[in-house]
Coordinates of all heavy atoms in Angstrom, one line a residue:
M1 N -17.1 26.7 37.6 CA -17.9 27.6 38.5 C -19.1 26.7 39.0 O -19.8 25.9 38.3 CB -18.4 28.8 37.9 CG -18.8 29.9 38.8 SD -19.8 31.1 38.2 CE -18.8 31.8 36.9
T2 N -19.4 26.9 40.3 CA -20.6 26.1 40.9 C -21.9 26.9 40.7 O -21.8 28.1 40.7 CB -20.4 25.9 42.5 OG1 -19.0 25.8 42.7 CG2 -21.0 24.7 43.0
T3 N -22.9 26.1 40.6 CA -24.2 26.7 40.3 C -24.9 27.3 41.5 O -24.9 26.6 42.5 CB -25.1 25.7 39.5 OG1 -24.4 25.0 38.6 CG2 -26.3 26.4 38.9
K4 N -25.4 28.5 41.3 CA -26.1 29.2 42.4 C -27.4 28.3 42.8 O -28.0 27.9 41.9 CB -26.6 30.5 41.9 CG -26.6 31.6 43.0 CD -26.5 33.0 42.3 CE -27.9 33.5 41.9 NZ -27.7 35.0 41.5
L5 N -27.7 28.3 44.1 CA -28.9 27.5 44.5 C -30.2 28.3 44.3 O -30.1 29.5 44.4 CB -28.7 27.0 46.0 CG -27.7 26.2 46.4 CD1 -27.9 25.9 48.0 CD2 -27.7 24.9 45.7
S6 N -31.2 27.7 43.8 CA -32.5 28.4 43.7 C -33.0 28.7 45.1 O -32.4 28.2 46.1 CB -33.7 27.4 43.1 OG -33.8 26.3 43.9
T7 N -33.9 29.6 45.2 CA -34.5 29.9 46.5 C -34.9 28.8 47.2 O -34.7 28.7 48.6 CB -35.6 31.1 46.4 OG1 -35.0 32.1 45.5 CG2 -36.1 31.6 47.6
K8 N -35.7 27.9 46.5 CA -36.3 26.8 47.2 C -35.1 25.8 47.7 O -35.2 25.4 48.9 CB -37.1 26.0 46.1 CG -38.0 24.9 46.8 CD -39.1 24.5 45.8 CE -39.9 23.4 46.4 NZ -39.4 22.1 45.8
K9 N -34.2 25.5 46.8 CA -33.0 24.7 47.3 C -32.2 25.3 48.5 O -31.9 24.6 49.4 CB -32.0 24.6 46.1 CG -32.5 23.5 45.1 CD -31.5 22.3 45.0 CE -32.1 21.2 44.2 NZ -32.1 21.3 42.8
R10 N -32.1 26.6 48.5 CA -31.4 27.4 49.6 C -32.2 27.2 50.8 O -31.6 26.9 51.9 CB -31.2 28.8 49.3 CG -30.3 29.6 50.2 CD -30.6 31.0 50.1 NE -31.9 31.6 50.5 CZ -32.5 32.4 49.9 NH1 -32.1 33.0 48.9 NH2 -33.6 32.8 50.5
Q11 N -33.5 27.3 50.8 CA -34.4 27.3 52.0 C -34.2 25.8 52.5 O -34.2 25.6 53.7 CB -35.8 27.7 51.6 CG -35.9 29.1 51.6 CD -37.2 29.6 50.9 OE1 -38.0 28.8 50.2 NE2 -37.7 30.9 51.0
E12 N -34.4 24.8 51.7 CA -34.2 23.4 52.0 C -32.9 23.2 52.7 O -32.8 22.5 53.7 CB -34.5 22.5 50.8 CG -35.9 22.1 50.5 CD -36.2 21.6 49.3 OE1 -35.2 21.0 48.6 OE2 -37.3 21.6 48.7
A13 N -31.8 23.6 52.2 CA -30.6 23.5 52.7 C -30.4 24.1 54.1 O -29.8 23.5 55.1 CB -29.4 24.1 51.8
L14 N -30.9 25.4 54.3 CA -30.9 26.0 55.5 C -31.6 25.3 56.6 O -31.1 25.3 57.8 CB -31.4 27.4 55.4 CG -30.5 28.5 54.9 CD1 -31.2 29.9 54.6 CD2 -29.4 28.7 55.8
K15 N -32.6 24.5 56.3 CA -33.3 23.8 57.4 C -32.3 22.8 58.0 O -32.6 22.3 59.1 CB -34.5 22.9 56.7 CG -35.7 23.9 56.5 CD -36.9 23.1 56.1 CE -37.8 24.0 55.3 NZ -38.7 23.2 54.3
T16 N -31.4 22.2 57.2 CA -30.5 21.2 57.7 C -29.2 21.9 58.4 O -28.5 21.1 59.0 CB -29.9 20.3 56.5 OG1 -29.1 21.1 55.8 CG2 -31.1 19.8 55.7
L17 N -29.1 23.0 58.4 CA -27.9 23.8 58.8 C -28.1 24.6 60.1 O -28.6 25.7 60.2 CB -27.3 24.9 57.9 CG -26.8 24.2 56.5 CD1 -26.5 25.3 55.5 CD2 -25.7 23.3 56.8
R18 N -28.0 23.9 61.3 CA -28.3 24.4 62.6 C -27.6 25.8 62.8 O -26.5 25.9 62.7 CB -27.9 23.4 63.6 CG -28.1 23.8 65.2 CD -27.7 22.6 66.0 NE -26.7 21.9 65.5 CZ -25.3 22.0 65.7 NH1 -25.1 23.0 66.4 NH2 -24.4 21.2 65.2
G19 N -28.5 26.8 63.2 CA -28.0 28.1 63.4 C -27.7 29.1 62.3 O -27.4 30.3 62.5
W20 N -27.8 28.6 61.1 CA -27.5 29.4 60.1 C -28.7 30.2 59.5 O -29.8 29.5 59.5 CB -26.9 28.6 58.8 CG -25.5 28.1 59.2 CD1 -25.1 27.1 59.8 CD2 -24.2 28.9 58.7 NE1 -23.7 26.9 59.9 CE2 -23.1 28.1 59.3 CE3 -24.0 30.0 58.1 CZ2 -21.8 28.5 59.1 CZ3 -22.7 30.5 57.9 CH2 -21.6 29.7 58.4
K21 N -28.6 31.3 59.0 CA -29.9 32.1 58.4 C -29.4 32.8 57.1 O -28.1 33.1 57.0 CB -30.4 32.9 59.4 CG -29.6 34.1 59.9 CD -30.2 35.0 60.9 CE -29.2 36.1 61.2 NZ -29.9 37.0 62.2
K22 N -30.3 33.2 56.3 CA -30.0 34.0 55.1 C -29.6 35.3 55.7 O -30.2 35.9 56.5 CB -31.2 34.0 54.3 CG -31.3 35.0 53.3 CD -30.7 34.7 51.9 CE -31.0 35.7 50.8 NZ -30.9 37.1 51.2
T23 N -28.6 36.0 55.0 CA -28.2 37.3 55.3 C -29.3 38.3 54.7 O -29.6 38.1 53.6 CB -26.9 37.6 54.7 OG1 -25.9 36.8 55.4 CG2 -26.3 39.1 55.0
K24 N -29.6 39.4 55.4 CA -30.6 40.3 54.9 C -30.1 41.2 53.9 O -28.9 41.6 54.0 CB -31.1 41.2 56.2 CG -32.1 40.4 57.0 CD -33.0 41.6 57.7 CE -34.0 40.8 58.6 NZ -33.6 40.7 60.1
G25 N -30.6 41.3 52.7 CA -30.2 42.1 51.7 C -28.9 41.7 50.9 O -28.3 42.5 50.1
R26 N -28.7 40.4 51.0 CA -27.4 39.9 50.4 C -27.7 38.4 50.2 O -28.2 37.7 51.1 CB -26.3 40.0 51.3 CG -25.1 40.7 50.7 CD -23.8 40.5 51.5 NE -23.0 39.5 50.8 CZ -21.8 39.1 51.2 NH1 -21.4 39.6 52.3 NH2 -21.2 38.3 50.5
N27 N -27.2 37.9 49.0 CA -27.3 36.5 48.7 C -26.1 35.6 49.4 O -25.2 35.3 48.8 CB -27.4 36.2 47.2 CG -28.1 35.0 46.9 OD1 -28.4 34.2 47.8 ND2 -28.3 34.8 45.6
A28 N -26.3 35.6 50.8 CA -25.3 34.9 51.6 C -25.9 34.2 52.7 O -27.3 34.7 53.1 CB -24.3 36.0 52.0
I29 N -25.3 33.5 53.5 CA -25.8 32.8 54.7 C -24.8 33.2 55.8 O -23.6 33.4 55.6 CB -26.0 31.3 54.6 CG1 -24.8 30.7 54.1 CG2 -27.1 31.0 53.8 CD1 -24.8 29.0 54.3
E30 N -25.5 33.2 57.1 CA -24.5 33.8 58.2 C -24.8 33.0 59.5 O -25.9 32.4 59.7 CB -24.7 35.2 58.4 CG -26.1 35.6 58.9 CD -26.3 37.2 58.9 OE1 -25.6 37.9 58.0 OE2 -27.0 37.6 59.8
K31 N -23.7 33.0 60.3 CA -23.9 32.4 61.7 C -22.9 33.0 62.6 O -21.7 33.3 62.2 CB -23.8 30.9 61.6 CG -23.9 30.3 63.0 CD -23.9 28.8 62.9 CE -23.9 28.1 64.4 NZ -24.1 26.7 64.5
N32 N -23.3 33.2 63.8 CA -22.3 33.6 64.8 C -21.9 32.6 65.7 O -22.7 31.9 66.3 CB -22.9 34.9 65.7 CG -23.1 36.2 64.9 OD1 -22.5 36.4 63.8 ND2 -24.0 37.1 65.4
F33 N -20.6 32.4 65.8 CA -20.0 31.3 66.7 C -19.5 31.9 67.9 O -18.7 33.0 67.9 CB -19.0 30.5 65.9 CG -19.5 29.7 64.8 CD1 -19.7 30.2 63.6 CD2 -19.9 28.3 65.0 CE1 -20.2 29.4 62.5 CE2 -20.3 27.5 64.0 CZ -20.5 28.1 62.7
I34 N -19.8 31.3 69.1 CA -19.3 31.8 70.4 C -18.3 30.7 71.0 O -18.8 29.6 71.1 CB -20.4 32.1 71.4 CG1 -21.5 33.1 70.8 CG2 -19.8 32.9 72.6 CD1 -20.9 34.7 70.6
F35 N -17.2 31.2 71.4 CA -16.3 30.1 72.0 C -16.0 30.5 73.4 O -16.4 31.6 73.9 CB -14.9 30.0 71.2 CG -15.3 29.5 69.8 CD1 -15.6 30.6 68.7 CD2 -15.3 28.2 69.5 CE1 -15.9 30.1 67.5 CE2 -15.5 27.7 68.3 CZ -15.8 28.7 67.2
K36 N -15.2 29.7 74.1 CA -14.8 30.0 75.4 C -14.0 31.2 75.7 O -14.2 32.1 76.5 CB -14.1 28.7 76.1 CG -13.9 28.8 77.6 CD -13.4 27.3 77.9 CE -12.0 27.4 78.6 NZ -10.8 27.3 78.1
D37 N -13.1 31.3 74.8 CA -12.1 32.5 74.8 C -11.6 32.7 73.4 O -11.9 32.1 72.5 CB -11.0 32.2 75.9 CG -10.4 30.9 75.6 OD1 -10.4 30.4 74.6 OD2 -9.8 30.4 76.8
F38 N -10.6 33.7 73.4 CA -9.9 33.9 72.1 C -9.2 32.8 71.5 O -9.2 32.6 70.1 CB -9.0 35.2 72.3 CG -8.2 35.6 71.1 CD1 -8.9 36.1 70.0 CD2 -6.9 35.3 71.0 CE1 -8.2 36.5 68.7 CE2 -6.2 35.8 69.7 CZ -6.8 36.2 68.7
K39 N -8.4 32.1 72.3 CA -7.6 31.1 72.0 C -8.4 30.0 71.3 O -8.0 29.4 70.2 CB -6.8 30.4 73.2 CG -5.7 29.6 72.8 CD -4.9 29.2 74.0 CE -5.8 28.3 75.0 NZ -5.0 27.9 76.2
T40 N -9.5 29.6 71.8 CA -10.4 28.5 71.3 C -11.1 29.0 70.0 O -11.1 28.3 69.0 CB -11.6 28.2 72.3 OG1 -10.9 28.1 73.7 CG2 -12.2 27.0 71.9
A41 N -11.4 30.3 70.0 CA -11.9 30.8 68.8 C -10.9 30.8 67.5 O -11.2 30.4 66.5 CB -12.5 32.3 68.9
F42 N -9.8 31.3 67.9 CA -8.7 31.4 66.8 C -8.3 30.0 66.4 O -7.9 29.8 65.2 CB -7.5 32.3 67.3 CG -6.9 32.8 66.1 CD1 -7.3 34.2 65.7 CD2 -5.9 32.3 65.6 CE1 -6.6 34.8 64.6 CE2 -5.2 32.8 64.5 CZ -5.6 34.0 64.0
S43 N -8.2 29.0 67.3 CA -7.9 27.6 67.0 C -8.9 27.1 66.0 O -8.4 26.5 65.1 CB -7.8 26.7 68.2 OG -6.9 27.3 69.1
W44 N -10.1 27.3 66.2 CA -11.2 26.9 65.4 C -11.0 27.6 64.0 O -11.1 26.9 63.0 CB -12.5 27.3 66.0 CG -13.6 26.9 65.1 CD1 -14.2 25.8 65.0 CD2 -14.4 27.8 64.3 NE1 -15.3 25.8 64.1 CE2 -15.5 27.0 63.7 CE3 -14.4 29.1 64.1 CZ2 -16.4 27.6 62.7 CZ3 -15.3 29.8 63.2 CH2 -16.2 28.9 62.5
M45 N -10.8 28.9 63.9 CA -10.6 29.5 62.7 C -9.4 29.0 61.8 O -9.4 28.9 60.7 CB -10.3 31.1 63.0 CG -11.6 31.8 63.5 SD -11.2 33.5 63.9 CE -11.2 34.3 62.3
T46 N -8.3 28.6 62.7 CA -7.1 28.1 62.0 C -7.6 26.7 61.4 O -7.1 26.4 60.2 CB -6.1 27.9 63.0 OG1 -5.8 29.0 63.6 CG2 -4.8 27.4 62.3
K47 N -8.2 25.9 62.1 CA -8.7 24.6 61.6 C -9.6 24.7 60.2 O -9.4 24.1 59.3 CB -9.5 23.8 62.7 CG -9.9 22.4 62.4 CD -10.5 21.8 63.5 CE -11.5 20.7 63.2 NZ -12.3 20.3 64.3
I48 N -10.6 25.7 60.3 CA -11.4 26.0 59.2 C -10.6 26.6 58.0 O -10.8 26.2 57.0 CB -12.5 27.0 59.7 CG1 -13.4 26.2 60.8 CG2 -13.4 27.5 58.5 CD1 -14.2 25.1 60.2
A49 N -9.5 27.3 58.4 CA -8.7 27.9 57.3 C -8.0 26.9 56.5 O -8.0 27.0 55.3 CB -7.7 28.8 57.9
F50 N -7.6 25.8 57.0 CA -7.0 24.7 56.2 C -8.1 23.9 55.4 O -7.9 23.6 54.2 CB -6.3 23.6 57.2 CG -5.0 24.1 57.6 CD1 -4.8 24.8 58.9 CD2 -3.8 23.9 56.9 CE1 -3.6 25.3 59.3 CE2 -2.6 24.4 57.3 CZ -2.5 25.0 58.4
I51 N -9.3 23.8 56.0 CA -10.3 23.2 55.2 C -10.8 24.1 54.0 O -10.9 23.7 52.9 CB -11.7 23.0 56.1 CG1 -11.3 21.9 57.2 CG2 -12.9 22.4 55.3 CD1 -12.4 21.7 58.2
A52 N -10.8 25.4 54.2 CA -11.1 26.4 53.3 C -9.9 26.3 52.1 O -10.4 26.4 50.9 CB -11.0 27.8 53.8
E53 N -8.8 26.2 52.4 CA -7.7 26.2 51.4 C -7.8 24.9 50.5 O -7.8 24.9 49.4 CB -6.4 26.1 52.2 CG -5.8 27.5 52.4 CD -5.5 28.3 51.2 OE1 -4.4 28.1 50.6 OE2 -6.4 29.1 50.9
K54 N -8.1 23.7 51.2 CA -8.4 22.5 50.5 C -9.6 22.6 49.5 O -9.5 22.2 48.5 CB -8.7 21.4 51.6 CG -8.0 20.2 51.2 CD -8.2 19.1 52.3 CE -7.1 18.5 52.8 NZ -7.4 17.5 54.1
M55 N -10.6 23.3 50.0 CA -11.8 23.4 49.2 C -11.8 24.5 48.2 O -12.6 24.8 47.3 CB -13.0 23.8 50.0 CG -13.6 22.6 51.0 SD -14.9 23.2 52.0 CE -16.2 23.7 50.9
D56 N -10.7 25.4 48.3 CA -10.6 26.7 47.4 C -11.9 27.4 47.6 O -12.4 28.0 46.6 CB -10.1 26.4 46.1 CG -9.7 27.7 45.4 OD1 -9.3 28.6 46.0 OD2 -10.0 27.7 44.1
H57 N -12.4 27.5 48.9 CA -13.5 28.2 49.2 C -13.4 28.8 50.6 O -13.3 28.2 51.6 CB -14.9 27.2 49.2 CG -16.0 28.0 49.2 ND1 -16.4 28.8 48.0 CD2 -17.0 28.0 50.1 CE1 -17.6 29.3 48.3 NE2 -18.0 28.8 49.5
H58 N -13.4 30.2 50.7 CA -13.0 30.9 51.8 C -14.2 31.8 52.4 O -14.9 32.4 51.7 CB -11.9 31.9 51.4 CG -10.8 31.0 50.9 ND1 -10.7 30.8 49.5 CD2 -9.7 30.6 51.4 CE1 -9.5 30.0 49.2 NE2 -8.9 29.9 50.4
P59 N -14.3 31.7 53.9 CA -15.4 32.5 54.5 C -14.9 33.9 54.6 O -13.8 34.3 54.6 CB -15.3 31.8 55.9 CG -14.0 31.2 56.1 CD -13.4 30.9 54.7
E60 N -16.1 34.8 54.7 CA -15.9 36.1 55.2 C -16.2 35.9 56.7 O -17.2 35.4 57.1 CB -17.0 37.0 54.5 CG -16.9 37.0 53.0 CD -18.1 37.8 52.4 OE1 -18.7 38.7 53.1 OE2 -18.6 37.4 51.4
W61 N -15.3 36.5 57.5 CA -15.5 36.4 58.9 C -14.9 37.6 59.6 O -13.9 38.1 59.2 CB -15.1 35.0 59.4 CG -13.6 34.5 59.1 CD1 -12.6 35.3 58.7 CD2 -13.2 33.2 59.3 NE1 -11.5 34.5 58.6 CE2 -11.8 33.2 58.9 CE3 -13.7 32.0 59.7 CZ2 -11.1 32.1 58.8 CZ3 -13.0 30.8 59.7 CH2 -11.6 31.0 59.3
F62 N -15.4 37.8 60.8 CA -15.0 38.8 61.7 C -14.8 38.4 63.1 O -15.8 37.8 63.7 CB -16.1 40.0 61.7 CG -15.8 41.3 62.4 CD1 -14.7 42.1 62.2 CD2 -16.4 41.5 63.7 CE1 -14.6 43.1 62.9 CE2 -16.2 42.5 64.4 CZ -15.2 43.4 64.1
N63 N -13.7 38.5 63.8 CA -13.5 37.9 65.1 C -13.1 39.1 66.1 O -12.4 39.9 65.9 CB -12.3 37.0 64.9 CG -11.7 36.6 66.3 OD1 -10.5 37.0 66.6 ND2 -12.4 36.1 67.3
V64 N -13.9 39.0 67.2 CA -13.5 39.8 68.4 C -13.5 38.9 69.5 O -14.7 38.3 69.8 CB -14.5 41.0 68.6 CG1 -14.0 41.7 69.9 CG2 -14.5 41.9 67.4
Y65 N -12.4 38.7 70.2 CA -12.2 37.9 71.3 C -12.7 36.5 71.2 O -12.2 35.7 70.3 CB -12.7 38.4 72.6 CG -12.6 37.7 73.9 CD1 -11.2 37.2 74.3 CD2 -13.6 37.4 74.8 CE1 -11.1 36.5 75.3 CE2 -13.4 36.5 75.9 CZ -12.1 36.2 76.3 OH -11.9 35.3 77.2
N66 N -14.0 36.2 71.8 CA -14.4 34.8 71.7 C -15.5 34.5 70.6 O -16.2 33.5 70.6 CB -14.9 34.3 73.0 CG -16.2 35.0 73.4 OD1 -16.4 36.2 73.1 ND2 -17.1 34.5 74.4
K67 N -15.7 35.7 69.8 CA -16.8 35.6 68.9 C -16.4 35.6 67.5 O -15.6 36.5 67.1 CB -17.8 36.8 69.2 CG -19.1 36.9 68.4 CD -19.9 38.1 68.9 CE -21.0 38.3 67.9 NZ -21.9 39.4 68.2
V68 N -17.0 34.8 66.5 CA -16.6 34.8 65.2 C -18.0 34.9 64.4 O -18.8 34.1 64.5 CB -15.8 33.6 64.7 CG1 -15.5 33.6 63.3 CG2 -14.6 33.3 65.6
E69 N -18.0 36.0 63.8 CA -19.2 36.2 62.8 C -18.9 35.8 61.4 O -17.9 36.2 60.8 CB -19.6 37.8 62.7 CG -20.0 38.3 64.2 CD -20.2 39.8 64.1 OE1 -20.3 40.4 63.0 OE2 -20.4 40.5 65.2
V70 N -19.6 34.8 60.8 CA -19.3 34.2 59.5 C -20.3 34.5 58.5 O -21.5 34.4 58.9 CB -19.1 32.7 59.7 CG1 -18.7 32.1 58.4 CG2 -18.1 32.3 60.7
K71 N -19.9 34.9 57.4 CA -20.8 35.0 56.2 C -20.2 34.2 55.1 O -19.0 34.1 54.9 CB -20.8 36.3 55.6 CG -21.8 37.3 56.5 CD -22.2 38.6 55.9 CE -23.0 39.4 56.7 NZ -22.6 39.9 58.0
L72 N -21.1 33.4 54.4 CA -20.7 32.6 53.4 C -21.5 32.8 52.1 O -22.7 32.9 52.1 CB -20.9 31.0 53.8 CG -20.2 30.5 54.9 CD1 -20.5 29.0 55.1 CD2 -18.7 30.5 54.8
S73 N -20.7 32.9 51.0 CA -21.3 33.0 49.7 C -20.1 32.7 48.7 O -19.1 32.7 48.8 CB -21.9 34.4 49.4 OG -20.8 35.3 48.9
T74 N -20.5 32.3 47.5 CA -19.7 32.0 46.4 C -19.5 33.3 45.5 O -20.4 33.4 44.7 CB -20.2 30.7 45.7 OG1 -20.3 29.7 46.6 CG2 -19.0 30.3 44.7
H75 N -18.4 33.9 45.6 CA -18.4 35.2 45.0 C -18.3 34.9 43.4 O -18.9 35.7 42.6 CB -17.0 35.9 45.4 CG -16.9 36.0 46.8 ND1 -16.0 35.4 47.7 CD2 -17.9 36.5 47.8 CE1 -16.1 35.8 48.9 NE2 -17.2 36.3 49.1
D76 N -17.7 33.8 42.9 CA -17.5 33.6 41.5 C -19.1 33.4 41.0 O -19.2 33.6 39.7 CB -16.7 32.3 41.3 CG -15.2 32.5 41.8 OD1 -14.9 33.6 42.1 OD2 -14.5 31.5 41.9
S77 N -19.9 32.9 41.8 CA -21.2 32.5 41.2 C -22.2 33.6 41.6 O -23.4 33.5 41.2 CB -21.6 31.2 41.8 OG -20.8 30.2 41.6
G78 N -21.9 34.5 42.4 CA -22.8 35.7 42.8 C -23.8 35.1 43.7 O -24.9 35.7 43.7
G79 N -23.7 34.1 44.6 CA -24.8 33.7 45.4 C -24.3 32.5 46.3 O -23.1 32.2 46.5
I80 N -25.3 31.7 46.8 CA -25.1 30.6 47.6 C -25.1 29.3 46.8 O -26.0 29.2 46.0 CB -26.3 30.6 48.8 CG1 -26.2 31.9 49.5 CG2 -25.9 29.4 49.6 CD1 -27.5 32.1 50.1
T81 N -24.0 28.5 47.0 CA -24.0 27.3 46.1 C -23.7 26.1 47.2 O -23.6 26.4 48.4 CB -22.7 27.4 45.3 OG1 -21.5 27.4 46.0 CG2 -22.8 28.5 44.3
E82 N -23.6 24.9 46.6 CA -23.3 23.7 47.5 C -22.0 23.9 48.2 O -21.8 23.4 49.3 CB -23.2 22.5 46.6 CG -24.5 22.0 46.1 CD -25.5 21.5 47.2 OE1 -25.0 21.3 48.3 OE2 -26.8 21.4 46.9
L83 N -21.0 24.7 47.7 CA -19.8 24.9 48.4 C -20.1 25.6 49.8 O -19.4 25.3 50.8 CB -18.8 25.8 47.6 CG -18.2 25.1 46.4 CD1 -17.3 26.2 45.5 CD2 -17.2 24.1 46.8
D84 N -20.9 26.6 49.8 CA -21.3 27.2 51.0 C -22.0 26.3 52.0 O -21.8 26.3 53.2 CB -22.1 28.4 50.7 CG -21.4 29.5 49.8 OD1 -20.4 29.8 50.2 OD2 -22.0 29.7 48.7
V85 N -22.9 25.4 51.4 CA -23.6 24.5 52.4 C -22.5 23.5 53.0 O -22.6 23.2 54.1 CB -24.6 23.6 51.6 CG1 -25.3 22.6 52.2 CG2 -25.6 24.7 51.0
T86 N -21.5 23.0 52.2 CA -20.5 22.1 52.6 C -19.7 22.8 53.7 O -19.5 22.2 54.7 CB -19.7 21.6 51.5 OG1 -20.4 21.0 50.4 CG2 -18.6 20.6 51.9
M87 N -19.4 24.0 53.4 CA -18.5 24.8 54.4 C -19.2 25.1 55.7 O -18.7 24.8 56.8 CB -18.1 26.0 53.8 CG -17.2 27.0 54.8 SD -15.9 26.2 55.4 CE -14.6 26.5 54.2
A88 N -20.6 25.4 55.6 CA -21.4 25.6 56.8 C -21.5 24.3 57.6 O -21.3 24.3 58.9 CB -22.8 26.0 56.4
K89 N -21.6 23.2 56.9 CA -21.7 21.9 57.6 C -20.3 21.5 58.4 O -20.3 21.1 59.4 CB -21.9 20.7 56.6 CG -23.4 20.6 56.3 CD -23.7 19.5 55.4 CE -25.2 19.5 55.1 NZ -25.5 18.8 53.8
E90 N -19.2 21.8 57.7 CA -17.8 21.7 58.3 C -17.8 22.5 59.6 O -17.3 22.2 60.5 CB -16.7 22.1 57.3 CG -16.5 21.1 56.3 CD -16.0 19.7 56.6 OE1 -15.4 19.6 57.8 OE2 -16.3 18.7 56.0
M91 N -18.3 23.9 59.4 CA -18.0 24.7 60.6 C -18.9 24.1 61.9 O -18.6 24.4 62.9 CB -18.6 26.1 60.2 CG -17.5 26.8 59.4 SD -18.0 28.4 58.8 CE -16.5 29.0 58.2
N92 N -20.1 23.6 61.4 CA -21.1 23.1 62.4 C -20.5 22.0 63.1 O -20.9 21.6 64.3 CB -22.4 22.8 61.9 CG -23.3 24.0 61.9 OD1 -22.8 25.1 62.1 ND2 -24.6 23.9 61.5
K93 N -19.6 21.2 62.5 CA -19.0 19.9 63.0 C -18.0 20.2 64.1 O -17.9 19.4 65.0 CB -18.1 19.2 61.8 CG -19.0 18.1 61.1 CD -17.9 17.4 60.2 CE -18.6 17.0 58.9 NZ -17.5 16.6 57.9
S94 N -17.2 21.3 63.7 CA -16.2 21.5 64.8 C -16.4 22.6 65.7 O -17.3 23.4 65.7 CB -14.9 21.8 63.9 OG -15.3 22.4 62.7
Ligands
LIG1 N1 -14.1 31.7 48.2 N2 -16.1 32.3 49.2 C1 -15.4 32.1 48.1 N3 -16.0 32.3 46.9 C2 -15.4 32.3 45.8 O1 -16.0 32.5 44.7 C3 -14.0 31.7 45.8 C4 -13.4 31.6 47.1 N4 -12.2 31.1 47.2 C5 -11.3 31.1 46.1 C6 -12.0 31.3 44.8 N5 -13.2 31.7 44.7 C7 -11.3 31.1 43.6 O2 -12.0 30.3 42.7 C8 -10.7 32.4 42.9 O3 -11.9 33.3 42.4 C9 -9.6 33.1 43.6

C-alpha cells in the first residue's frame, strides 16, 4: 500500500500540478478538463485508461460531451498518495 501524503506534502505537490485543487470535504484532488468535442474527450479518457491499468490506479471521473471531471485519491490508503500525483501529471501531459 502507498503511504498517504501529509498535508504539507500534499500542498507542495499541488503547487506543481497545474489546474488541480484539493476536493472540499474529501481527501482527494480534482480537475475539470475541457476538450474540443466528445470524440476528443473520450479518446483522452481511453489513453488515460491504459495508463491507469498499467499503474493499477484508477481515476474517478464523470464525462458529459466535451467535459471530464476528474477526482483522484488512493482508496486503499484512504487519501492522496504519490500515485495520485503521478496520475495527475500524466493527465496534465496529454
Ligand atoms: N485506484 N484510485 C485507486 N485507488 C486504489 O486504491 C486502487 C485503484 N485501483 C486498483 C486498486 N486500488 C487495487 O489495488 C485494488 O484495490 C483493486
Side-chain angles (χ1 to χ4, degrees):
M1 199 200 295
T2 328
T3 315
K4 212 160 88 170
L5 296 184
S6 65
T7 305
K8 190 158 175 269
K9 281 244 165 76
R10 188 195 70 220
Q11 284 167 348
E12 272 166 19
L14 271 176
K15 280 187 211 156
T16 71
L17 297 172
R18 185 173 26 90
W20 289 85
K21 61 177 185 187
K22 160 92 173 40
T23 299
K24 282 201 184 107
R26 235 196 103 181
N27 205 349
I29 55 173
E30 64 185 35
K31 179 174 177 177
N32 292 341
F33 290 85
I34 308 282
F35 299 90
K36 188 171 116 272
D37 52 22
F38 177 70
K39 193 173 67 180
T40 317
F42 208 89
S43 303
W44 178 79
M45 290 173 81
T46 304
K47 185 174 154 192
I48 297 298
F50 280 95
I51 297 171
E53 275 295 279
K54 220 182 236 174
M55 287 175 64
D56 192 26
H57 193 65
H58 302 86
E60 298 171 35
W61 51 16
F62 177 76
N63 161 242
V64 178
Y65 183 52
N66 67 334
K67 185 172 168 182
V68 185
E69 298 173 8
V70 182
K71 283 192 177 65
L72 297 176
S73 82
T74 305
H75 310 120
D76 295 346
S77 309
I80 302 153
T81 67
E82 284 297 341
L83 285 172
D84 300 302
V85 176
T86 304
M87 176 56 84
K89 280 184 182 152
E90 286 296 334
M91 288 179 165
N92 274 6
K93 261 189 221 167
S94 24

